[in-house]
Amino acid sequence: MAGKKLLIKHAAELVTCAGTSPKQGAAMGDIGIIPDGALLAEDGKIIWVGPTAELPALDESQWEVIDAAGQCVMPGFVDSHTHMVFGGYRAEEFFWRLGGTPYLEILERGGGILNTVQATRAASLEELKELAGRRLAGMMAMGVTTVEGKSGYGLDKETELRQLAVMSELNREQPVEIVPTFMGAHAVPPEYKGRTDEYVEYIIKEVLPAVAEQGIAEFCDVFCEQGVFSLSESRRLLEAAKSLGLKTKLHADEIVPLGGAELAAELDACSADHLLQASDAGIAALGSKHTVATLLPMTAFCLREPYARARAMIDSGAAVALATDYNPGSCFSHSIPLVAALAAIQLGMKPAEIVTALTINGAAAVNRADRVGSLEIGKQADIVILEYPSHLFLVYHAGMNIVDKVIKQGQLIWSKAINIS
């Protein structure tokens, strides 16, 4: 799908976010702004970046030209934590939680994740694919060019593989790049109630080998949480996944400070996600490693929980990413604008840090920092063009989608003016 030749010129700001690894601590504030910036891409890859005045001599008639005067050009957003393939919805549970019913109590009575498991098991591959395809189109309109998707609503071999197969097919058939994550350890299914150890054994012996054999997941994730999967169970499962060639992630310290952040650092996991209750020791551990701290402020917003301590993480030297956690239960939203607003207003992150967290650090959280997440020579031409002249408007125009154009591998895939999607 790579576009042939693309020239973008006269960007009020061209934000590069240059790098091939996560930006940690103070480095998150360095986003490499080029005033009156320009970019050349050929066959889907960036071949030149710099000020418009320094563009190499070329015949513009041979290029697709975008004049970005008065606009900000930046890397495409990477939504590095979603649960986008699922059947059914749980609107009533949203209001149960607002009425005071704790999330773990809803899960205990067969609601929560288990409610979605029932609907997802009943859905065909075609039904799941149609639903997920519509969701991807909505993400693309908000500037997302790469998205991570998790299984975890099957909790059995057949449905977990079906969820991953949906992502595999959609990866071939539409432009947003999908990073597939196996998350069979999302909850304990009803048939294994009270037998968590046996369920972990089932995943390790029966499901993980099938996932690895089919090559349809890059990561393995686990809900490391009190009442779900313990530290020892999580470690055992992730070590088994690593032995089969999968990279690792953790849902860590979301509800109680269990030590998930420390475990993620110990295992050199690619990311530790949520971290609402991460301890000082856990934050320090993340600051000492390249494990990305992926924060999901919309989930805290929807659950009315305290927000993750982003400032402490950045000040400790951690690499922070931001993602939506789009799912049918605790966060039924894929709004990048709301993520950005909450990051500034509630997490205390600076505008440049937010851009880093949504681009190069998001890319690092899904092991893509070598090819997406920044605008520099050799990277994929995955680009977002904003309606406004500065990255500051991502937060300033609070909660509004200010994306004007979305480009994937040098090809225009969405435009507000013509809505080509």
Side-chain angles (χ1 to χ4, degrees):
M1 64 159 285
K4 290 297 182 185
K5 288 185 173 184
L6 173 68
L7 161 62
I8 300 174
K9 62 181 182 177
H10 292 307
E13 278 185 358
L14 191 144
V15 179
T16 64
C17 297
T20 55
S21 60
K23 290 182 182 286
Q24 297 183 249
M28 288 185 62
D30 178 12
I31 57 174
I33 296 174
I34 302 174
D36 191 22
L39 175 151
L40 296 172
E42 190 167 7
D43 294 325
K45 297 286 183 67
I46 296 169
I47 61 171
W48 186 89
V49 178
T52 300
E54 298 176 15
L55 267 168
L58 50 84
D59 179 1
E60 290 192 9
S61 68
Q62 302 300 309
W63 295 72
E64 179 182 353
V65 180
I66 296 176
D67 189 329
Q71 297 184 304
C72 176
V73 174
M74 61 173 53
F77 299 132
V78 180
D79 191 347
S80 58
H81 182 128
T82 82
H83 303 256
M84 64 179 186
V85 181
F86 60 85
Y89 295 97
R90 291 167 18 213
E92 69 287 346
E93 289 183 19
F94 183 84
F95 297 97
W96 292 349
R97 287 196 306 274
L98 291 182
T101 306
Y103 179 73
L104 289 180
E105 183 179 323
I106 292 172
L107 184 64
E108 184 65 24
R109 0 190 266 220
I113 293 167
L114 298 180
N115 187 327
T116 300
V117 167
Q118 186 176 14
T120 305
R121 286 180 176 181
S124 68
L125 185 145
E126 290 74 22
E127 289 167 335
L128 292 173
K129 183 177 168 183
E130 195 273 334
L131 289 167
R134 291 208 311 260
R135 294 162 191 157
L136 282 166
M139 294 175 187
M140 179 172 65
M142 290 189 175
V144 172
T145 52
T146 301
V147 62
E148 185 255 17
K150 304 179 192 293
S151 66
Y153 291 128
L155 310 185
D156 61 14
K157 183 177 177 180
E158 178 188 353
T159 317
E160 291 292 314
L161 293 174
R162 184 158 69 247
Q163 283 187 273
L164 293 168
V166 165
M167 293 182 229
S168 182
E169 291 194 12
L170 286 170
N171 228 350
R172 293 191 296 269
E173 297 172 11
Q174 56 78 55
V176 179
E177 185 174 348
I178 303 169
V179 181
T181 294
F182 167 64
M183 198 178 176
H186 198 191
V188 179
E191 58 268 29
Y192 280 91
K193 186 176 175 65
R195 299 184 293 132
T196 304
D197 280 344
E198 292 181 39
Y199 180 60
V200 171
E201 183 73 8
Y202 164 71
I203 294 175
I204 291 172
K205 293 292 178 64
E206 299 291 333
V207 192
L208 266 175
V211 170
E213 181 182 347
Q214 293 188 23
I216 53 175
E218 294 182 31
F219 287 91
C220 180
D221 197 346
V222 57
F223 193 3
C224 181
E225 187 58 70
Q226 179 178 295
V228 192
F229 297 97
S230 68
L231 285 170
S232 61
E233 290 161 347
S234 299
R235 181 184 288 106
R236 182 173 165 231
L237 191 144
L238 293 177
E239 286 177 344
K242 286 175 76 172
S243 74
L244 292 171
L246 295 173
K247 293 174 284 291
T248 56
K249 291 176 165 287
L250 279 86
H251 279 52
D253 302 324
E254 178 182 3
I255 300 169
V256 299
L258 194 65
E262 293 92 322
L263 177 61
E266 172 197 329
L267 295 176
D268 288 315
C270 210
S271 73
D273 302 23
H274 284 292
L275 302 170
L276 305 184
Q277 302 295 333
S279 66
D280 291 344
I283 290 173
L286 293 174
S288 69
K289 294 290 188 80
H290 286 301
T291 298
V292 177
T294 300
L295 307 185
L296 313 167
M298 284 201 300
T299 307
F301 176 71
C302 291
L303 294 176
R304 293 196 298 192
E305 294 288 345
Y307 291 88
R309 293 186 287 156
R311 281 262 54 92
M313 294 176 193
I314 295 170
D315 293 344
S316 76
V320 169
L322 290 164
T324 64
D325 192 23
Y326 177 63
N327 72 77
S330 59
C331 183
F332 186 52
S333 175
H334 51 70
S335 174
I336 295 293
L338 183 53
V339 168
L342 290 172
I345 297 165
Q346 299 292 351
L347 273 62
M349 293 177 67
K350 299 170 186 176
E353 293 169 342
I354 293 168
V355 170
T356 294
L358 286 169
T359 58
I360 189 64
N361 280 6
V366 293
N367 196 44
R368 292 288 196 284
D370 61 332
R371 57 189 188 270
V372 303
S374 62
L375 302 182
E376 54 189 314
I377 293 172
K379 289 281 192 87
Q380 285 181 192
D382 294 0
I383 303 163
V384 163
I385 302 178
L386 305 182
E387 294 177 343
Y388 293 98
S390 167
H391 69 283
L392 299 176
F393 284 78
L394 282 173
V395 172
Y396 172 50
H397 201 26
M400 301 299 292
N401 184 17
I402 62 169
V403 171
D404 182 56
K405 294 180 178 67
V406 183
I407 294 160
K408 182 69 177 178
Q409 294 186 43
Q411 181 174 317
L412 183 68
I413 59 171
W414 187 88
S415 170
K416 185 169 285 187
I418 56 177
N419 193 6
I420 65 169
S421 65

